[in-house]
Amino acid sequence: SYIDRVLKLPKDALILDIGCNNGVMLSILKRRGYNTWGIEPDLALAAQAQKLNGNIITAFYQNFDFPPESFDVITAFHVLEHIHDPRSFLRKARRELKPDGHLVIEVPDLSNPNTARLDDYFNVQHIFNFTPTSLSAMLEAVGFEPVGLLKFSYHSFRIIARKASRRKRLANNTEEIEQAKRIIQAYKVKRIQTLESIAKAIYERLQNLKPREPVVVWGAGKHAYDLLRLTPLREHPELLFVDSNPKTHKAGFMGLPVFCPCLLYTSPS
Protein backbone atom coordinates (compact mmCIF):
# COMPACT_ATOMS: atom_id res chain seq x y z
CA SER A 1 0.00 0.00 0.00
CA TYR A 2 0.97 3.67 -0.24
CA ILE A 3 1.59 3.83 3.51
CA ASP A 4 3.80 0.72 3.45
CA ARG A 5 5.78 1.88 0.42
CA VAL A 6 6.40 5.49 1.38
CA LEU A 7 6.52 5.59 5.17
CA LYS A 8 8.12 2.21 5.98
CA LEU A 9 6.51 2.09 9.42
CA PRO A 10 7.24 -0.41 12.17
CA LYS A 11 4.55 -3.07 12.33
CA ASP A 12 3.29 -1.85 15.70
CA ALA A 13 2.68 1.68 14.38
CA LEU A 14 -0.53 3.35 15.51
CA ILE A 15 -2.65 4.68 12.62
CA LEU A 16 -5.80 6.83 12.79
CA ASP A 17 -8.11 7.15 9.77
CA ILE A 18 -10.38 10.21 9.94
CA GLY A 19 -13.67 9.64 8.16
CA CYS A 20 -12.95 5.92 7.98
CA ASN A 21 -16.22 5.12 6.18
CA ASN A 22 -16.92 1.37 6.42
CA GLY A 23 -13.42 0.58 7.65
CA VAL A 24 -12.14 -1.37 4.65
CA MET A 25 -8.80 0.47 4.47
CA LEU A 26 -8.27 0.06 8.22
CA SER A 27 -9.00 -3.66 7.99
CA ILE A 28 -6.28 -4.01 5.31
CA LEU A 29 -3.79 -2.12 7.50
CA LYS A 30 -4.81 -4.18 10.52
CA ARG A 31 -4.14 -7.43 8.65
CA ARG A 32 -0.65 -6.11 7.92
CA GLY A 33 0.04 -5.82 11.64
CA TYR A 34 -0.62 -2.14 12.33
CA ASN A 35 -2.59 -0.87 15.30
CA THR A 36 -5.58 0.88 13.78
CA TRP A 37 -8.14 3.39 14.97
CA GLY A 38 -10.91 5.06 13.03
CA ILE A 39 -13.36 7.89 13.58
CA GLU A 40 -16.57 8.17 11.56
CA PRO A 41 -19.66 10.34 12.22
CA ASP A 42 -22.11 8.24 10.20
CA LEU A 43 -23.75 5.70 12.53
CA ALA A 44 -24.30 2.99 9.92
CA LEU A 45 -20.80 3.24 8.45
CA ALA A 46 -19.22 3.35 11.91
CA ALA A 47 -21.07 0.14 12.83
CA GLN A 48 -19.69 -1.59 9.74
CA ALA A 49 -16.18 -0.36 10.54
CA GLN A 50 -16.56 -1.54 14.13
CA LYS A 51 -17.21 -5.10 12.96
CA LEU A 52 -14.04 -5.05 10.85
CA ASN A 53 -11.68 -3.27 13.24
CA GLY A 54 -13.01 -2.75 16.76
CA ASN A 55 -11.32 0.56 17.55
CA ILE A 56 -13.90 2.91 16.02
CA ILE A 57 -15.13 6.21 17.47
CA THR A 58 -18.54 7.40 16.27
CA ALA A 59 -18.11 11.17 16.18
CA PHE A 60 -16.89 14.08 14.12
CA TYR A 61 -13.11 14.34 14.46
CA GLN A 62 -13.34 18.00 15.49
CA ASN A 63 -15.55 17.02 18.46
CA PHE A 64 -13.41 14.22 19.87
CA ASP A 65 -9.95 14.70 21.39
CA PHE A 66 -7.32 11.98 21.38
CA PRO A 67 -4.38 12.32 23.78
CA PRO A 68 -1.51 14.47 22.43
CA GLU A 69 1.17 12.67 20.40
CA SER A 70 -0.87 9.46 20.11
CA PHE A 71 -0.40 8.41 16.49
CA ASP A 72 2.40 7.56 14.09
CA VAL A 73 0.16 8.29 11.09
CA ILE A 74 -3.13 10.11 10.60
CA THR A 75 -4.98 9.74 7.30
CA ALA A 76 -7.91 11.77 5.96
CA PHE A 77 -9.13 10.84 2.48
CA HIS A 78 -11.71 13.23 0.99
CA VAL A 79 -12.50 14.80 4.34
CA LEU A 80 -10.76 18.19 4.42
CA GLU A 81 -12.87 19.72 1.63
CA HIS A 82 -15.94 19.21 3.87
CA ILE A 83 -14.49 20.98 6.93
CA HIS A 84 -15.56 24.52 7.86
CA ASP A 85 -12.20 25.36 9.47
CA PRO A 86 -9.47 23.28 7.77
CA ARG A 87 -6.61 25.06 9.57
CA SER A 88 -7.99 24.14 13.01
CA PHE A 89 -8.55 20.59 11.74
CA LEU A 90 -4.90 20.33 10.65
CA ARG A 91 -3.61 21.88 13.89
CA LYS A 92 -5.55 19.29 15.87
CA ALA A 93 -4.08 16.48 13.77
CA ARG A 94 -0.60 17.89 14.37
CA ARG A 95 -1.16 17.88 18.16
CA GLU A 96 -2.23 14.24 18.07
CA LEU A 97 0.72 13.05 15.97
CA LYS A 98 3.94 11.84 17.54
CA PRO A 99 7.01 14.10 17.03
CA ASP A 100 8.08 12.08 13.97
CA GLY A 101 4.51 11.39 12.80
CA HIS A 102 3.04 11.82 9.31
CA LEU A 103 -0.26 13.11 7.97
CA VAL A 104 -1.67 11.73 4.70
CA ILE A 105 -4.34 13.92 3.08
CA GLU A 106 -6.28 13.30 -0.12
CA VAL A 107 -8.64 15.89 -1.64
CA PRO A 108 -10.17 16.75 -5.04
CA ASP A 109 -7.71 18.56 -7.32
CA LEU A 110 -8.84 22.02 -8.41
CA SER A 111 -5.70 22.42 -10.57
CA ASN A 112 -6.72 19.53 -12.84
CA PRO A 113 -7.80 21.11 -16.16
CA ASN A 114 -10.64 18.59 -16.52
CA THR A 115 -12.15 19.43 -13.14
CA ALA A 116 -14.74 21.89 -14.47
CA ARG A 117 -16.17 19.16 -16.70
CA LEU A 118 -17.27 17.15 -13.69
CA ASP A 119 -20.92 17.73 -12.80
CA ASP A 120 -20.39 16.65 -9.19
CA TYR A 121 -17.02 18.31 -8.44
CA PHE A 122 -18.40 21.61 -7.17
CA ASN A 123 -21.23 20.89 -4.77
CA VAL A 124 -22.65 22.22 -1.52
CA GLN A 125 -20.82 19.57 0.51
CA HIS A 126 -17.41 20.81 -0.68
CA ILE A 127 -16.82 23.90 1.41
CA PHE A 128 -13.19 24.37 0.30
CA ASN A 129 -11.35 23.51 -2.90
CA PHE A 130 -7.60 22.90 -2.98
CA THR A 131 -4.67 22.78 -5.36
CA PRO A 132 -1.42 21.01 -4.42
CA THR A 133 0.20 24.40 -3.83
CA SER A 134 -2.59 25.84 -1.68
CA LEU A 135 -2.84 22.73 0.50
CA SER A 136 0.95 22.56 0.86
CA ALA A 137 0.96 26.20 1.95
CA MET A 138 -1.74 25.56 4.54
CA LEU A 139 0.11 22.50 5.87
CA GLU A 140 3.34 24.46 6.23
CA ALA A 141 1.51 27.33 7.92
CA VAL A 142 0.27 25.04 10.70
CA GLY A 143 3.53 23.15 11.20
CA PHE A 144 3.87 20.36 8.65
CA GLU A 145 6.51 19.71 6.01
CA PRO A 146 5.10 18.21 2.78
CA VAL A 147 7.37 15.37 1.68
CA GLY A 148 5.37 13.65 -1.05
CA LEU A 149 2.72 14.38 -3.70
CA LEU A 150 0.72 11.91 -5.74
CA LYS A 151 -1.81 12.93 -8.41
CA PHE A 152 -4.58 10.63 -9.57
CA SER A 153 -6.50 10.33 -12.82
CA TYR A 154 -9.78 10.62 -10.88
CA HIS A 155 -9.20 14.36 -10.30
CA SER A 156 -7.70 14.08 -6.82
CA PHE A 157 -4.27 14.41 -5.25
CA ARG A 158 -2.63 13.09 -2.10
CA ILE A 159 -0.04 14.84 0.05
CA ILE A 160 2.06 13.20 2.70
CA ALA A 161 3.42 15.63 5.27
CA ARG A 162 5.81 15.21 8.19
CA LYS A 163 5.22 16.92 11.51
CA ALA A 164 7.69 19.79 11.54
CA SER A 165 9.30 21.59 14.48
CA ARG A 166 8.38 25.04 13.15
CA ARG A 167 5.95 26.75 10.80
CA LYS A 168 6.81 28.57 7.60
CA ARG A 169 5.06 30.40 4.81
CA LEU A 170 5.07 29.09 1.25
CA ALA A 171 5.16 31.50 -1.69
CA ASN A 172 2.08 31.54 -3.92
CA ASN A 173 2.18 29.75 -7.25
CA THR A 174 0.69 32.44 -9.52
CA GLU A 175 0.24 30.15 -12.54
CA GLU A 176 -1.64 27.54 -10.50
CA ILE A 177 -3.85 30.21 -8.90
CA GLU A 178 -4.78 31.64 -12.31
CA GLN A 179 -5.55 28.16 -13.62
CA ALA A 180 -7.82 27.52 -10.63
CA LYS A 181 -9.62 30.81 -11.29
CA ARG A 182 -10.21 29.80 -14.91
CA ILE A 183 -11.60 26.43 -13.84
CA ILE A 184 -13.98 28.04 -11.34
CA GLN A 185 -15.16 30.58 -13.92
CA ALA A 186 -15.75 27.83 -16.51
CA TYR A 187 -17.79 25.91 -13.95
CA LYS A 188 -19.87 29.00 -13.10
CA VAL A 189 -20.72 29.55 -16.76
CA LYS A 190 -21.62 25.89 -17.21
CA ARG A 191 -23.75 25.85 -14.07
CA ILE A 192 -25.73 28.91 -15.12
CA GLN A 193 -26.37 27.37 -18.54
CA THR A 194 -27.47 24.09 -16.95
CA LEU A 195 -29.80 25.79 -14.47
CA GLU A 196 -31.36 27.89 -17.20
CA SER A 197 -31.96 24.79 -19.31
CA ILE A 198 -33.54 22.93 -16.36
CA ALA A 199 -35.65 25.95 -15.42
CA LYS A 200 -36.96 26.21 -18.98
CA ALA A 201 -37.89 22.51 -19.06
CA ILE A 202 -39.68 22.74 -15.69
CA TYR A 203 -41.56 25.86 -16.72
CA GLU A 204 -42.80 24.17 -19.91
CA ARG A 205 -43.84 21.07 -17.97
CA LEU A 206 -45.73 23.11 -15.39
CA GLN A 207 -47.67 24.82 -18.17
CA ASN A 208 -49.02 21.44 -19.28
CA LEU A 209 -49.98 20.12 -15.84
CA LYS A 210 -53.52 19.80 -14.63
CA PRO A 211 -54.38 22.20 -11.75
CA ARG A 212 -54.22 19.58 -8.96
CA GLU A 213 -51.58 17.29 -10.46
CA PRO A 214 -48.82 16.76 -7.83
CA VAL A 215 -45.20 17.78 -8.30
CA VAL A 216 -42.54 16.04 -6.17
CA VAL A 217 -39.08 17.50 -5.57
CA TRP A 218 -36.63 14.97 -4.14
CA GLY A 219 -34.01 16.69 -2.02
CA ALA A 220 -34.27 19.86 0.07
CA GLY A 221 -30.91 21.50 -0.55
CA LYS A 222 -29.03 23.95 -2.73
CA HIS A 223 -30.30 22.61 -6.04
CA ALA A 224 -33.91 22.71 -4.82
CA TYR A 225 -33.32 26.30 -3.69
CA ASP A 226 -32.17 27.19 -7.20
CA LEU A 227 -35.26 25.56 -8.71
CA LEU A 228 -37.57 27.58 -6.47
CA ARG A 229 -35.65 30.74 -7.26
CA LEU A 230 -35.65 30.29 -11.03
CA THR A 231 -39.03 28.67 -11.70
CA PRO A 232 -42.68 29.11 -10.61
CA LEU A 233 -42.54 25.80 -8.75
CA ARG A 234 -43.41 27.41 -5.41
CA GLU A 235 -46.73 28.63 -6.81
CA HIS A 236 -47.87 25.10 -7.71
CA PRO A 237 -50.68 24.08 -5.30
CA GLU A 238 -49.63 20.42 -5.07
CA LEU A 239 -45.86 20.83 -4.52
CA LEU A 240 -44.28 18.18 -2.28
CA PHE A 241 -40.69 18.03 -0.98
CA VAL A 242 -39.16 14.73 0.14
CA ASP A 243 -35.68 14.12 1.57
CA SER A 244 -34.03 11.07 3.13
CA ASN A 245 -32.36 13.24 5.80
CA PRO A 246 -34.70 13.17 8.86
CA LYS A 247 -33.37 16.54 10.05
CA THR A 248 -35.09 18.24 7.11
CA HIS A 249 -38.45 16.76 8.16
CA LYS A 250 -38.41 18.84 11.34
CA ALA A 251 -36.81 21.98 9.93
CA GLY A 252 -38.74 22.21 6.67
CA PHE A 253 -37.37 23.99 3.62
CA MET A 254 -37.90 27.66 2.81
CA GLY A 255 -41.12 27.65 4.83
CA LEU A 256 -42.41 24.48 3.17
CA PRO A 257 -42.82 21.05 4.81
CA VAL A 258 -40.45 18.21 3.92
CA PHE A 259 -41.52 14.56 4.12
CA CYS A 260 -39.86 11.15 4.17
CA PRO A 261 -39.52 9.56 0.70
CA CYS A 262 -41.37 6.55 2.11
CA LEU A 263 -44.52 8.64 1.72
CA LEU A 264 -44.29 8.12 -2.03
CA TYR A 265 -44.62 4.36 -1.58
CA THR A 266 -47.27 4.32 1.15
CA SER A 267 -49.64 7.12 0.10
CA PRO A 268 -52.66 5.89 -1.88
CA SER A 269 -52.87 9.16 -3.87
Side-chain angles (χ1 to χ4, degrees), residues 141-156:
V142 301
F144 284 99
E145 179 189 357
V147 294
L149 170 65
L150 187 62
K151 290 193 172 188
F152 300 101
S153 59
Y154 52 87
H155 310 285
S156 297

Side-chain angles (χ1 to χ4, degrees), residues 27 29 34 43 56 61 63 66 74 104 112 133 139 161 184 192 211 225 238 248 258 263:
S27 67
L29 293 171
Y34 298 117
L43 295 175
I56 303 297
Y61 177 65
N63 299 336
F66 292 95
I74 294 178
V104 183
N112 188 310
T133 298
L139 286 165
I184 292 172
I192 290 172
Y225 170 81
E238 296 295 329
T248 63
V258 180
L263 181 69

Side-chain angles (χ1 to χ4, degrees), residues 44-238:
L45 291 173
Q48 295 177 44
Q50 185 76 31
K51 292 179 181 179
L52 290 175
N53 299 280
N55 298 326
I56 303 297
I57 305 296
T58 306
F60 286 98
Y61 177 65
Q62 307 91 298
N63 299 336
F64 187 91
D65 290 328
F66 292 95
E69 300 185 356
S70 293
F71 300 102
D72 296 283
V73 177
I74 294 178
T75 62
F77 295 154
H78 290 269
V79 171
L80 196 64
E81 65 270 23
H82 301 272
I83 303 301
H84 286 273
D85 189 349
R87 282 178 179 257
S88 293
F89 181 96
L90 295 174
R91 290 190 188 101
K92 182 177 184 298
R94 185 180 183 278
R95 287 195 302 271
E96 294 169 1
L97 278 170
K98 295 178 180 179
D100 57 348
H102 288 80
L103 177 67
V104 183
I105 294 274
E106 185 176 312
V107 294
D109 185 2
L110 183 58
S111 68
N112 188 310
N114 295 319
T115 292
R117 302 175 190 171
L118 301 178
D119 292 334
D120 61 347
Y121 181 88
F122 295 97
N123 64 68
V124 292
Q125 295 181 350
H126 290 182
I127 301 169
F128 285 89
N129 295 288
F130 298 96
T131 67
T133 298
S134 69
L135 182 52
S136 294
M138 184 177 290
L139 286 165
E140 292 195 331
V142 301
F144 284 99
E145 179 189 357
V147 294
L149 170 65
L150 187 62
K151 290 193 172 188
F152 300 101
S153 59
Y154 52 87
H155 310 285
S156 297
F157 68 90
R158 185 179 300 172
I159 286 182
I160 182 167
R162 179 169 50 227
K163 184 174 180 178
S165 57
R166 60 188 180 89
R167 298 166 176 80
K168 73 174 186 177
R169 186 177 181 85
L170 187 69
N172 289 331
N173 185 323
T174 304
E175 181 180 349
E176 189 176 89
I177 291 173
E178 291 304 314
Q179 182 181 15
K181 288 180 179 179
R182 290 193 295 271
I183 289 172
I184 292 172
Q185 183 58 34
Y187 167 76
K188 289 170 66 177
V189 171
K190 178 184 176 183
R191 175 168 171 76
I192 290 172
Q193 293 172 343
T194 301
L195 285 174
E196 289 176 345
S197 175
I198 293 173
K200 180 180 178 181
I202 290 176
Y203 181 82
E204 292 173 352
R205 184 72 179 95
L206 288 173
Q207 295 294 102
N208 296 320
L209 287 180
K210 297 176 181 178
R212 306 300 296 182
E213 191 171 351
V215 173
V216 178
V217 178
W218 191 306
K222 177 64 169 62
H223 298 301
Y225 170 81
D226 288 332
L227 290 179
L228 290 182
R229 182 173 56 86
L230 296 171
T231 71
L233 262 178
R234 193 185 185 100
E235 302 169 11
H236 191 74
E238 296 295 329

